[in-house]
Short mmCIF file of all heavy atoms in Angstrom, two decimals:
data_model
loop_
_atom_site.label_atom_id
_atom_site.label_comp_id
_atom_site.label_asym_id
_atom_site.label_seq_id
_atom_site.Cartn_x
_atom_site.Cartn_y
_atom_site.Cartn_z
N MET A 1 3.99 -19.52 1.89
CA MET A 1 4.29 -18.20 2.61
C MET A 1 3.00 -17.35 2.65
O MET A 1 2.39 -17.32 1.63
CB MET A 1 5.44 -17.64 1.80
CG MET A 1 5.68 -16.22 2.22
SD MET A 1 6.99 -15.43 1.42
CE MET A 1 6.51 -15.33 -0.22
N GLU A 2 2.79 -16.78 3.73
CA GLU A 2 1.80 -15.86 3.87
C GLU A 2 2.29 -14.40 4.27
O GLU A 2 3.15 -14.26 4.96
CB GLU A 2 0.77 -16.28 4.99
CG GLU A 2 -0.11 -17.46 4.51
CD GLU A 2 -1.13 -17.66 5.61
OE1 GLU A 2 -1.10 -17.03 6.76
OE2 GLU A 2 -1.93 -18.58 5.52
N VAL A 3 1.47 -13.48 3.62
CA VAL A 3 1.83 -11.96 3.92
C VAL A 3 0.54 -11.45 4.44
O VAL A 3 -0.50 -11.60 3.71
CB VAL A 3 2.51 -11.22 2.76
CG1 VAL A 3 2.61 -9.78 3.11
CG2 VAL A 3 3.70 -11.91 2.37
N LYS A 4 0.46 -10.90 5.61
CA LYS A 4 -0.80 -10.45 6.16
C LYS A 4 -0.60 -8.90 6.47
O LYS A 4 0.50 -8.52 6.92
CB LYS A 4 -1.23 -11.14 7.40
CG LYS A 4 -1.53 -12.61 7.30
CD LYS A 4 -1.96 -13.17 8.59
CE LYS A 4 -2.13 -14.60 8.46
NZ LYS A 4 -2.58 -15.31 9.69
N ASP A 5 -1.75 -8.22 6.50
CA ASP A 5 -1.82 -6.93 7.07
C ASP A 5 -3.07 -6.62 7.86
O ASP A 5 -3.89 -7.61 7.87
CB ASP A 5 -1.62 -5.72 5.92
CG ASP A 5 -2.82 -5.66 5.07
OD1 ASP A 5 -4.01 -6.03 5.51
OD2 ASP A 5 -2.76 -5.07 3.98
N ASN A 6 -3.17 -5.60 8.62
CA ASN A 6 -4.34 -5.39 9.30
C ASN A 6 -4.94 -4.04 8.87
O ASN A 6 -5.41 -3.29 9.61
CB ASN A 6 -4.05 -5.31 10.77
CG ASN A 6 -2.99 -4.17 11.22
OD1 ASN A 6 -2.55 -3.56 10.23
ND2 ASN A 6 -2.76 -4.03 12.50
N GLY A 7 -4.95 -3.81 7.49
CA GLY A 7 -5.40 -2.50 6.89
C GLY A 7 -7.00 -2.65 6.64
O GLY A 7 -7.61 -3.38 7.32
N ILE A 8 -7.41 -1.76 5.79
CA ILE A 8 -8.82 -1.66 5.51
C ILE A 8 -9.43 -2.85 4.64
O ILE A 8 -10.62 -2.95 4.54
CB ILE A 8 -9.24 -0.47 4.78
CG1 ILE A 8 -8.42 -0.18 3.38
CG2 ILE A 8 -8.74 0.83 5.77
CD1 ILE A 8 -8.85 0.92 2.58
N GLY A 9 -8.57 -3.68 4.08
CA GLY A 9 -8.99 -4.77 3.25
C GLY A 9 -9.22 -4.38 1.82
O GLY A 9 -9.20 -3.30 1.58
N ILE A 10 -9.67 -5.41 1.07
CA ILE A 10 -9.87 -5.22 -0.35
C ILE A 10 -11.38 -5.45 -0.49
O ILE A 10 -11.88 -6.58 -0.23
CB ILE A 10 -9.11 -6.10 -1.26
CG1 ILE A 10 -7.60 -5.88 -0.96
CG2 ILE A 10 -9.39 -6.01 -2.69
CD1 ILE A 10 -6.65 -6.93 -1.51
N PRO A 11 -12.13 -4.66 -1.07
CA PRO A 11 -13.51 -4.88 -1.36
C PRO A 11 -13.80 -6.11 -2.09
O PRO A 11 -13.12 -6.37 -3.10
CB PRO A 11 -14.01 -3.59 -2.18
CG PRO A 11 -13.04 -2.55 -1.71
CD PRO A 11 -11.77 -3.18 -1.51
N LYS A 12 -14.77 -6.94 -1.77
CA LYS A 12 -15.03 -8.04 -2.48
C LYS A 12 -15.30 -7.88 -3.96
O LYS A 12 -14.89 -8.70 -4.82
CB LYS A 12 -16.44 -8.73 -1.93
CG LYS A 12 -16.27 -9.43 -0.56
CD LYS A 12 -15.84 -10.93 -0.90
CE LYS A 12 -15.86 -11.53 0.61
NZ LYS A 12 -14.77 -12.50 0.63
N GLU A 13 -15.83 -6.74 -4.35
CA GLU A 13 -16.32 -6.52 -5.74
C GLU A 13 -15.07 -6.33 -6.56
O GLU A 13 -15.15 -6.42 -7.83
CB GLU A 13 -17.24 -5.30 -5.89
CG GLU A 13 -16.65 -3.98 -5.29
CD GLU A 13 -17.11 -3.72 -3.81
OE1 GLU A 13 -17.62 -4.71 -3.33
OE2 GLU A 13 -16.88 -2.73 -3.38
N ILE A 14 -13.92 -6.07 -6.03
CA ILE A 14 -12.65 -5.98 -6.99
C ILE A 14 -11.59 -7.09 -6.73
O ILE A 14 -10.67 -7.07 -7.49
CB ILE A 14 -12.01 -4.53 -6.87
CG1 ILE A 14 -11.41 -4.34 -5.44
CG2 ILE A 14 -12.84 -3.43 -7.11
CD1 ILE A 14 -10.53 -3.21 -5.28
N GLN A 15 -11.81 -7.98 -5.70
CA GLN A 15 -10.92 -9.00 -5.40
C GLN A 15 -10.65 -9.92 -6.67
O GLN A 15 -9.51 -10.40 -6.78
CB GLN A 15 -11.42 -9.76 -4.19
CG GLN A 15 -11.22 -9.15 -2.97
CD GLN A 15 -11.59 -9.96 -1.74
OE1 GLN A 15 -11.45 -11.16 -1.79
NE2 GLN A 15 -11.96 -9.41 -0.67
N THR A 16 -11.57 -10.22 -7.48
CA THR A 16 -11.32 -11.04 -8.57
C THR A 16 -10.62 -10.37 -9.81
O THR A 16 -10.01 -10.87 -10.78
CB THR A 16 -12.74 -11.51 -9.26
OG1 THR A 16 -13.49 -10.32 -9.61
CG2 THR A 16 -13.55 -12.35 -8.27
N ARG A 17 -10.49 -9.02 -9.60
CA ARG A 17 -9.69 -8.22 -10.64
C ARG A 17 -8.21 -7.72 -10.18
O ARG A 17 -7.53 -7.30 -11.09
CB ARG A 17 -10.46 -6.91 -10.99
CG ARG A 17 -11.89 -7.30 -11.53
CD ARG A 17 -12.64 -6.10 -11.98
NE ARG A 17 -11.88 -5.30 -12.93
CZ ARG A 17 -12.06 -4.02 -13.13
NH1 ARG A 17 -12.86 -3.36 -12.29
NH2 ARG A 17 -11.36 -3.41 -13.93
N ILE A 18 -7.86 -7.98 -8.93
CA ILE A 18 -6.61 -7.46 -8.52
C ILE A 18 -5.37 -7.82 -9.24
O ILE A 18 -4.28 -7.31 -9.22
CB ILE A 18 -6.45 -7.46 -6.96
CG1 ILE A 18 -6.54 -8.90 -6.57
CG2 ILE A 18 -7.57 -6.71 -6.32
CD1 ILE A 18 -6.12 -9.14 -5.04
N PHE A 19 -5.51 -9.19 -9.91
CA PHE A 19 -4.30 -9.74 -10.56
C PHE A 19 -4.32 -9.41 -11.99
O PHE A 19 -3.44 -9.76 -12.78
CB PHE A 19 -4.29 -11.26 -10.30
CG PHE A 19 -4.10 -11.64 -8.93
CD1 PHE A 19 -5.15 -12.12 -8.07
CD2 PHE A 19 -2.75 -11.45 -8.25
CE1 PHE A 19 -4.98 -12.44 -6.75
CE2 PHE A 19 -2.62 -11.77 -6.91
CZ PHE A 19 -3.66 -12.35 -6.19
N ASP A 20 -5.31 -8.69 -12.49
CA ASP A 20 -5.44 -8.30 -13.89
C ASP A 20 -4.46 -7.15 -14.15
O ASP A 20 -4.27 -6.24 -13.40
CB ASP A 20 -6.98 -7.77 -14.14
CG ASP A 20 -7.92 -8.74 -14.19
OD1 ASP A 20 -7.70 -10.00 -13.99
OD2 ASP A 20 -9.13 -8.42 -14.20
N PRO A 21 -3.73 -7.26 -15.32
CA PRO A 21 -2.70 -6.32 -15.77
C PRO A 21 -3.43 -4.94 -15.87
O PRO A 21 -4.55 -4.91 -16.44
CB PRO A 21 -2.19 -6.70 -17.11
CG PRO A 21 -2.62 -8.22 -17.19
CD PRO A 21 -3.79 -8.48 -16.37
N PHE A 22 -2.85 -4.01 -15.37
CA PHE A 22 -3.29 -2.50 -15.47
C PHE A 22 -4.52 -2.24 -14.57
O PHE A 22 -4.97 -1.15 -14.74
CB PHE A 22 -3.45 -2.09 -16.87
CG PHE A 22 -2.13 -2.30 -17.75
CD1 PHE A 22 -2.19 -3.35 -18.59
CD2 PHE A 22 -1.05 -1.48 -17.58
CE1 PHE A 22 -0.95 -3.54 -19.30
CE2 PHE A 22 0.04 -1.71 -18.28
CZ PHE A 22 0.16 -2.72 -19.16
N PHE A 23 -4.99 -3.17 -13.80
CA PHE A 23 -6.03 -2.80 -12.86
C PHE A 23 -5.45 -2.25 -11.69
O PHE A 23 -4.66 -2.70 -10.94
CB PHE A 23 -6.89 -4.01 -12.49
CG PHE A 23 -7.78 -3.79 -11.52
CD1 PHE A 23 -9.08 -3.05 -11.83
CD2 PHE A 23 -7.74 -4.02 -10.10
CE1 PHE A 23 -10.09 -2.72 -10.89
CE2 PHE A 23 -8.57 -3.66 -9.18
CZ PHE A 23 -9.82 -2.96 -9.51
N SER A 24 -6.04 -1.07 -11.14
CA SER A 24 -5.61 -0.41 -10.03
C SER A 24 -6.88 0.33 -9.52
O SER A 24 -7.56 1.17 -10.23
CB SER A 24 -4.40 0.59 -10.19
OG SER A 24 -4.18 1.23 -8.93
N PRO A 25 -7.19 0.31 -8.24
CA PRO A 25 -8.12 0.99 -7.62
C PRO A 25 -7.77 2.43 -7.33
O PRO A 25 -8.56 3.25 -6.87
CB PRO A 25 -8.66 0.31 -6.25
CG PRO A 25 -7.37 -0.39 -5.98
CD PRO A 25 -6.59 -0.70 -7.26
N LYS A 26 -6.43 2.66 -7.54
CA LYS A 26 -6.03 4.02 -7.20
C LYS A 26 -6.35 4.98 -8.24
O LYS A 26 -6.67 4.71 -9.40
CB LYS A 26 -4.48 3.90 -7.00
CG LYS A 26 -4.01 3.04 -5.88
CD LYS A 26 -2.49 2.99 -5.90
CE LYS A 26 -1.91 1.98 -4.83
NZ LYS A 26 -0.49 1.78 -5.01
N GLU A 27 -6.13 6.37 -7.84
CA GLU A 27 -6.40 7.34 -8.82
C GLU A 27 -5.34 7.37 -9.91
O GLU A 27 -4.24 6.77 -9.63
CB GLU A 27 -6.24 8.71 -8.16
CG GLU A 27 -7.36 9.00 -6.96
CD GLU A 27 -8.68 9.12 -7.58
OE1 GLU A 27 -8.72 9.79 -8.72
OE2 GLU A 27 -9.69 8.79 -6.99
N SER A 28 -5.67 7.84 -11.03
CA SER A 28 -4.78 7.89 -12.21
C SER A 28 -3.48 8.60 -11.79
O SER A 28 -3.37 9.63 -11.13
CB SER A 28 -5.37 8.68 -13.31
OG SER A 28 -4.63 8.75 -14.37
N GLY A 29 -2.38 8.00 -12.19
CA GLY A 29 -0.98 8.61 -11.86
C GLY A 29 -0.44 7.96 -10.54
O GLY A 29 0.64 8.46 -10.19
N GLU A 30 -1.18 7.16 -9.75
CA GLU A 30 -0.83 6.77 -8.51
C GLU A 30 -0.30 5.21 -8.50
O GLU A 30 -0.26 4.53 -7.47
CB GLU A 30 -1.89 6.89 -7.45
CG GLU A 30 -2.09 8.37 -7.08
CD GLU A 30 -3.09 8.47 -6.00
OE1 GLU A 30 -3.22 7.61 -5.03
OE2 GLU A 30 -3.68 9.55 -5.85
N GLY A 31 -0.18 4.70 -9.75
CA GLY A 31 0.30 3.15 -9.91
C GLY A 31 -0.12 2.86 -11.15
O GLY A 31 -1.05 3.31 -11.79
N THR A 32 0.64 1.72 -11.54
CA THR A 32 0.32 1.21 -12.98
C THR A 32 -0.60 0.12 -12.93
O THR A 32 -1.01 -0.39 -13.97
CB THR A 32 1.75 0.79 -13.57
OG1 THR A 32 2.33 -0.25 -12.74
CG2 THR A 32 2.72 2.01 -13.77
N GLY A 33 -0.80 -0.61 -11.88
CA GLY A 33 -1.67 -1.82 -11.72
C GLY A 33 -0.95 -3.03 -12.37
O GLY A 33 -1.52 -3.85 -12.83
N LEU A 34 0.40 -3.08 -12.24
CA LEU A 34 1.12 -4.19 -12.73
C LEU A 34 1.71 -5.05 -11.61
O LEU A 34 2.10 -6.18 -11.87
CB LEU A 34 2.31 -3.71 -13.71
CG LEU A 34 1.70 -3.19 -15.00
CD1 LEU A 34 2.83 -2.69 -15.79
CD2 LEU A 34 1.02 -4.26 -15.79
N GLY A 35 1.88 -4.65 -10.40
CA GLY A 35 2.61 -5.33 -9.32
C GLY A 35 2.05 -6.61 -9.03
O GLY A 35 2.77 -7.66 -9.14
N LEU A 36 0.72 -6.88 -8.88
CA LEU A 36 0.19 -8.18 -8.52
C LEU A 36 0.17 -9.09 -9.84
O LEU A 36 0.27 -10.26 -9.85
CB LEU A 36 -1.15 -8.10 -7.87
CG LEU A 36 -1.26 -7.57 -6.50
CD1 LEU A 36 -2.56 -7.29 -5.90
CD2 LEU A 36 -0.44 -8.56 -5.59
N SER A 37 -0.06 -8.43 -10.93
CA SER A 37 -0.07 -9.13 -12.30
C SER A 37 1.34 -9.76 -12.47
O SER A 37 1.46 -10.98 -12.83
CB SER A 37 -0.43 -8.21 -13.38
OG SER A 37 -0.37 -8.97 -14.66
N ILE A 38 2.35 -8.88 -12.30
CA ILE A 38 3.69 -9.38 -12.50
C ILE A 38 4.08 -10.56 -11.53
O ILE A 38 4.51 -11.63 -11.89
CB ILE A 38 4.68 -8.38 -12.37
CG1 ILE A 38 4.57 -7.49 -13.69
CG2 ILE A 38 6.14 -8.81 -12.30
CD1 ILE A 38 5.35 -6.14 -13.69
N SER A 39 3.60 -10.37 -10.26
CA SER A 39 3.86 -11.39 -9.21
C SER A 39 3.15 -12.63 -9.54
O SER A 39 3.77 -13.79 -9.39
CB SER A 39 3.35 -10.90 -7.83
OG SER A 39 4.00 -9.70 -7.46
N MET A 40 1.96 -12.56 -10.05
CA MET A 40 1.14 -13.83 -10.33
C MET A 40 1.95 -14.38 -11.56
O MET A 40 2.05 -15.76 -11.41
CB MET A 40 -0.23 -13.36 -10.86
CG MET A 40 -1.09 -14.60 -11.42
SD MET A 40 -1.53 -15.86 -10.23
CE MET A 40 -2.98 -15.04 -9.74
N ASP A 41 2.40 -13.75 -12.54
CA ASP A 41 3.14 -14.40 -13.57
C ASP A 41 4.48 -15.17 -13.15
O ASP A 41 4.64 -16.30 -13.54
CB ASP A 41 3.39 -13.29 -14.65
CG ASP A 41 3.95 -13.94 -15.89
OD1 ASP A 41 3.38 -14.84 -16.43
OD2 ASP A 41 5.10 -13.39 -16.34
N ILE A 42 5.15 -14.46 -12.37
CA ILE A 42 6.38 -15.11 -11.82
C ILE A 42 6.08 -16.39 -11.06
O ILE A 42 6.59 -17.57 -11.22
CB ILE A 42 7.15 -14.19 -10.90
CG1 ILE A 42 7.71 -12.95 -11.78
CG2 ILE A 42 8.21 -14.82 -10.17
CD1 ILE A 42 8.13 -11.79 -10.99
N ILE A 43 5.01 -16.32 -10.16
CA ILE A 43 4.64 -17.47 -9.32
C ILE A 43 4.12 -18.60 -10.13
O ILE A 43 4.55 -19.74 -10.07
CB ILE A 43 3.60 -17.07 -8.31
CG1 ILE A 43 4.23 -16.15 -7.16
CG2 ILE A 43 3.05 -18.30 -7.58
CD1 ILE A 43 3.35 -15.37 -6.36
N ARG A 44 3.41 -18.31 -11.20
CA ARG A 44 2.83 -19.34 -12.14
C ARG A 44 4.02 -20.05 -12.98
O ARG A 44 3.99 -21.15 -13.19
CB ARG A 44 1.71 -18.79 -12.89
CG ARG A 44 0.36 -18.63 -12.16
CD ARG A 44 -0.64 -18.35 -13.10
NE ARG A 44 -1.99 -18.46 -12.31
CZ ARG A 44 -3.03 -17.84 -12.77
NH1 ARG A 44 -3.12 -17.23 -13.84
NH2 ARG A 44 -4.10 -17.99 -11.87
N LYS A 45 4.97 -19.12 -13.31
CA LYS A 45 6.08 -19.76 -14.09
C LYS A 45 6.91 -20.74 -13.22
O LYS A 45 7.54 -21.60 -13.77
CB LYS A 45 6.97 -18.57 -14.50
CG LYS A 45 6.37 -18.01 -15.78
CD LYS A 45 7.29 -16.81 -16.22
CE LYS A 45 6.66 -16.08 -17.46
NZ LYS A 45 7.43 -14.99 -17.97
N HIS A 46 6.75 -20.66 -11.99
CA HIS A 46 7.37 -21.57 -11.02
C HIS A 46 6.45 -22.73 -10.55
O HIS A 46 6.75 -23.27 -9.65
CB HIS A 46 7.95 -20.87 -9.83
CG HIS A 46 9.20 -19.95 -10.19
ND1 HIS A 46 10.48 -20.42 -10.35
CD2 HIS A 46 9.35 -18.63 -10.41
CE1 HIS A 46 11.36 -19.59 -10.68
NE2 HIS A 46 10.74 -18.49 -10.74
N LYS A 47 5.36 -22.73 -11.25
CA LYS A 47 4.26 -23.87 -11.02
C LYS A 47 3.71 -23.73 -9.68
O LYS A 47 3.32 -24.61 -9.01
CB LYS A 47 5.05 -25.15 -11.12
CG LYS A 47 5.77 -25.55 -12.30
CD LYS A 47 4.87 -25.88 -13.45
CE LYS A 47 5.69 -26.44 -14.64
NZ LYS A 47 6.05 -25.56 -15.50
N GLY A 48 3.53 -22.36 -9.15
CA GLY A 48 2.89 -22.04 -7.99
C GLY A 48 1.58 -21.40 -8.14
O GLY A 48 1.03 -21.29 -9.27
N ASN A 49 1.10 -20.88 -7.04
CA ASN A 49 -0.22 -20.16 -7.05
C ASN A 49 -0.27 -19.13 -5.96
O ASN A 49 0.59 -19.15 -4.96
CB ASN A 49 -1.40 -21.19 -6.88
CG ASN A 49 -2.78 -20.57 -7.17
OD1 ASN A 49 -2.91 -19.54 -7.88
ND2 ASN A 49 -3.77 -21.13 -6.51
N ILE A 50 -0.96 -18.07 -6.13
CA ILE A 50 -1.09 -16.97 -5.16
C ILE A 50 -2.70 -16.84 -4.88
O ILE A 50 -3.40 -16.84 -5.89
CB ILE A 50 -0.40 -15.75 -5.55
CG1 ILE A 50 -0.60 -14.70 -4.43
CG2 ILE A 50 -0.93 -15.18 -6.92
CD1 ILE A 50 0.31 -13.44 -4.66
N GLN A 51 -3.08 -16.78 -3.71
CA GLN A 51 -4.37 -16.61 -3.30
C GLN A 51 -4.57 -15.38 -2.40
O GLN A 51 -3.67 -15.05 -1.68
CB GLN A 51 -4.99 -17.83 -2.59
CG GLN A 51 -4.82 -18.97 -3.50
CD GLN A 51 -5.18 -20.33 -2.68
OE1 GLN A 51 -5.04 -20.43 -1.39
NE2 GLN A 51 -5.51 -21.39 -3.29
N VAL A 52 -5.75 -14.72 -2.35
CA VAL A 52 -6.09 -13.62 -1.49
C VAL A 52 -7.18 -13.84 -0.59
O VAL A 52 -8.17 -14.48 -1.27
CB VAL A 52 -6.16 -12.33 -2.27
CG1 VAL A 52 -7.27 -12.40 -3.27
CG2 VAL A 52 -6.26 -11.17 -1.33
N GLU A 53 -7.19 -13.49 0.63
CA GLU A 53 -8.25 -13.41 1.45
C GLU A 53 -8.36 -12.07 2.11
O GLU A 53 -7.31 -11.70 2.68
CB GLU A 53 -8.26 -14.56 2.49
CG GLU A 53 -9.44 -14.77 3.27
CD GLU A 53 -9.31 -15.94 4.38
OE1 GLU A 53 -8.97 -16.95 3.93
OE2 GLU A 53 -9.72 -15.67 5.39
N SER A 54 -9.51 -11.48 2.18
CA SER A 54 -9.56 -10.08 2.68
C SER A 54 -10.89 -9.89 3.35
O SER A 54 -11.92 -10.34 2.93
CB SER A 54 -9.50 -9.13 1.56
OG SER A 54 -9.20 -7.80 1.99
N VAL A 55 -10.73 -9.20 4.49
CA VAL A 55 -12.02 -8.88 5.20
C VAL A 55 -11.96 -7.33 5.53
O VAL A 55 -11.00 -6.88 6.02
CB VAL A 55 -12.09 -9.70 6.60
CG1 VAL A 55 -13.27 -9.25 7.41
CG2 VAL A 55 -11.98 -11.04 6.36
N ARG A 56 -13.08 -6.72 5.06
CA ARG A 56 -13.16 -5.24 5.17
C ARG A 56 -12.82 -4.94 6.60
O ARG A 56 -13.33 -5.48 7.65
CB ARG A 56 -14.46 -4.80 4.84
CG ARG A 56 -14.90 -4.20 3.58
CD ARG A 56 -13.90 -3.45 2.82
NE ARG A 56 -14.42 -2.06 2.55
CZ ARG A 56 -13.75 -1.19 1.99
NH1 ARG A 56 -12.41 -1.32 1.68
NH2 ARG A 56 -14.26 0.01 1.76
N CYS A 57 -12.04 -3.86 6.80
CA CYS A 57 -11.68 -3.27 8.09
C CYS A 57 -10.77 -4.28 9.00
O CYS A 57 -10.68 -3.92 10.21
CB CYS A 57 -12.83 -2.75 8.82
SG CYS A 57 -13.77 -1.49 7.98
N GLU A 58 -10.52 -5.42 8.52
CA GLU A 58 -9.74 -6.36 9.33
C GLU A 58 -8.32 -6.65 8.64
O GLU A 58 -7.36 -6.97 9.41
CB GLU A 58 -10.42 -7.69 9.55
CG GLU A 58 -11.68 -7.50 10.52
CD GLU A 58 -12.32 -8.86 10.83
OE1 GLU A 58 -11.66 -9.82 10.82
OE2 GLU A 58 -13.55 -8.80 11.13
N GLY A 59 -8.21 -6.59 7.33
CA GLY A 59 -6.97 -6.87 6.70
C GLY A 59 -7.08 -7.89 5.53
O GLY A 59 -8.13 -8.44 5.20
N THR A 60 -5.93 -8.14 5.02
CA THR A 60 -5.75 -8.91 3.84
C THR A 60 -4.60 -9.96 4.06
O THR A 60 -3.51 -9.57 4.62
CB THR A 60 -5.50 -8.11 2.48
OG1 THR A 60 -6.63 -7.14 2.46
CG2 THR A 60 -5.41 -8.89 1.29
N THR A 61 -4.81 -11.19 3.52
CA THR A 61 -3.74 -12.07 3.56
C THR A 61 -3.50 -12.59 2.18
O THR A 61 -4.44 -13.10 1.50
CB THR A 61 -4.02 -13.34 4.42
OG1 THR A 61 -4.41 -12.81 5.78
CG2 THR A 61 -3.01 -14.39 4.40
N PHE A 62 -2.25 -12.59 1.72
CA PHE A 62 -1.87 -13.17 0.45
C PHE A 62 -1.08 -14.43 0.72
O PHE A 62 -0.13 -14.44 1.60
CB PHE A 62 -0.98 -12.33 -0.37
CG PHE A 62 -1.76 -11.15 -1.07
CD1 PHE A 62 -1.78 -9.96 -0.34
CD2 PHE A 62 -2.29 -11.20 -2.25
CE1 PHE A 62 -2.58 -8.92 -0.97
CE2 PHE A 62 -2.92 -10.26 -2.86
CZ PHE A 62 -3.13 -9.10 -2.28
N GLU A 63 -1.51 -15.57 0.14
CA GLU A 63 -0.72 -16.93 0.47
C GLU A 63 -0.14 -17.21 -0.97
O GLU A 63 -0.80 -17.41 -1.93
CB GLU A 63 -1.77 -17.90 0.80
CG GLU A 63 -1.07 -19.29 0.93
CD GLU A 63 -2.14 -20.27 1.44
OE1 GLU A 63 -3.21 -20.33 0.96
OE2 GLU A 63 -1.76 -21.12 2.36
N VAL A 64 1.27 -17.49 -0.91
CA VAL A 64 1.98 -17.89 -2.02
C VAL A 64 2.33 -19.26 -1.87
O VAL A 64 2.92 -19.75 -0.81
CB VAL A 64 3.22 -17.03 -2.19
CG1 VAL A 64 4.13 -17.64 -3.44
CG2 VAL A 64 2.90 -15.49 -2.41
N ILE A 65 1.96 -20.20 -2.77
CA ILE A 65 2.21 -21.66 -2.67
C ILE A 65 3.11 -22.05 -3.82
O ILE A 65 2.76 -21.70 -5.06
CB ILE A 65 0.87 -22.46 -2.84
CG1 ILE A 65 -0.02 -21.95 -1.69
CG2 ILE A 65 1.13 -23.93 -2.75
CD1 ILE A 65 -1.47 -22.35 -1.97
N LEU A 66 4.32 -22.46 -3.55
CA LEU A 66 5.33 -22.93 -4.47
C LEU A 66 5.67 -24.27 -4.25
O LEU A 66 5.90 -24.73 -3.06
CB LEU A 66 6.62 -22.05 -4.44
CG LEU A 66 6.45 -20.60 -4.69
CD1 LEU A 66 7.62 -19.81 -4.42
CD2 LEU A 66 6.09 -20.53 -6.25
N PRO A 67 5.86 -25.19 -5.32
CA PRO A 67 6.22 -26.57 -5.00
C PRO A 67 7.71 -26.61 -4.55
O PRO A 67 8.49 -25.70 -4.88
CB PRO A 67 6.19 -27.19 -6.49
CG PRO A 67 6.22 -26.03 -7.40
CD PRO A 67 5.71 -24.79 -6.73
N ILE A 68 8.03 -27.63 -3.74
CA ILE A 68 9.35 -27.85 -3.32
C ILE A 68 10.31 -28.17 -4.48
O ILE A 68 11.40 -27.66 -4.60
CB ILE A 68 9.47 -28.96 -2.17
CG1 ILE A 68 8.74 -28.30 -0.91
CG2 ILE A 68 10.97 -29.20 -1.91
CD1 ILE A 68 8.53 -29.39 0.13
N LYS A 69 9.69 -29.06 -5.36
CA LYS A 69 10.51 -29.45 -6.51
C LYS A 69 9.42 -29.87 -7.67
O LYS A 69 8.29 -30.21 -7.34
CB LYS A 69 11.39 -30.59 -6.30
CG LYS A 69 10.94 -31.90 -5.96
CD LYS A 69 11.90 -32.90 -5.78
CE LYS A 69 11.31 -34.30 -5.61
NZ LYS A 69 12.31 -35.35 -5.65
N GLU A 70 9.72 -29.64 -8.94
CA GLU A 70 8.87 -29.82 -10.02
C GLU A 70 8.72 -31.28 -10.04
O GLU A 70 9.45 -32.08 -9.95
CB GLU A 70 9.40 -29.29 -11.37
CG GLU A 70 8.47 -29.21 -12.32
CD GLU A 70 8.88 -28.54 -13.50
OE1 GLU A 70 9.92 -27.48 -13.34
OE2 GLU A 70 8.53 -28.87 -14.67
N GLY A 71 7.34 -31.67 -10.41
CA GLY A 71 6.99 -33.02 -10.62
C GLY A 71 6.32 -33.59 -9.45
O GLY A 71 5.78 -34.32 -8.90
#
């Protein structure tokens, strides 16, 4: 499954950190930085993976890969 937007994109320098618990590029009080971390945890518990591709000023694509069945 892919989810795409056509927003401003995610800067390369923070793409490796966006799945870290409590990481958020937002100002203090504007988010906990747990959304993508929790999503990653759920997907991995189901033996899947999530990947991100982002281009500045063009948008971001998140790809969620889940197995059809375990094994």
Side-chain angles (χ1 to χ4, degrees):
M1 170 178 61
E2 287 185 352
V3 178
K4 297 180 181 185
D5 71 20
N6 59 355
I8 62 169
I10 302 170
K12 284 272 187 216
E13 57 272 9
I14 68 168
Q15 285 182 25
T16 59
R17 300 182 58 208
I18 62 173
F19 295 105
D20 293 349
F22 303 107
F23 174 77
S24 177
K26 297 177 183 175
E27 295 292 325
S28 182
E30 291 188 25
T32 61
L34 289 174
L36 287 174
S37 174
I38 290 170
S39 297
M40 172 71 86
D41 187 51
I42 292 168
I43 291 165
R44 285 191 173 160
K45 284 181 180 176
H46 289 279
K47 309 279 191 267
N49 193 20
I50 184 170
Q51 300 171 338
V52 63
E53 185 177 316
S54 189
V55 178
R56 263 326 237 171
C57 301
E58 290 185 25
T60 301
T61 301
F62 285 92
E63 181 180 34
V64 178
I65 302 162
L66 296 169
I68 293 174
K69 65 180 186 176
E70 193 171 332

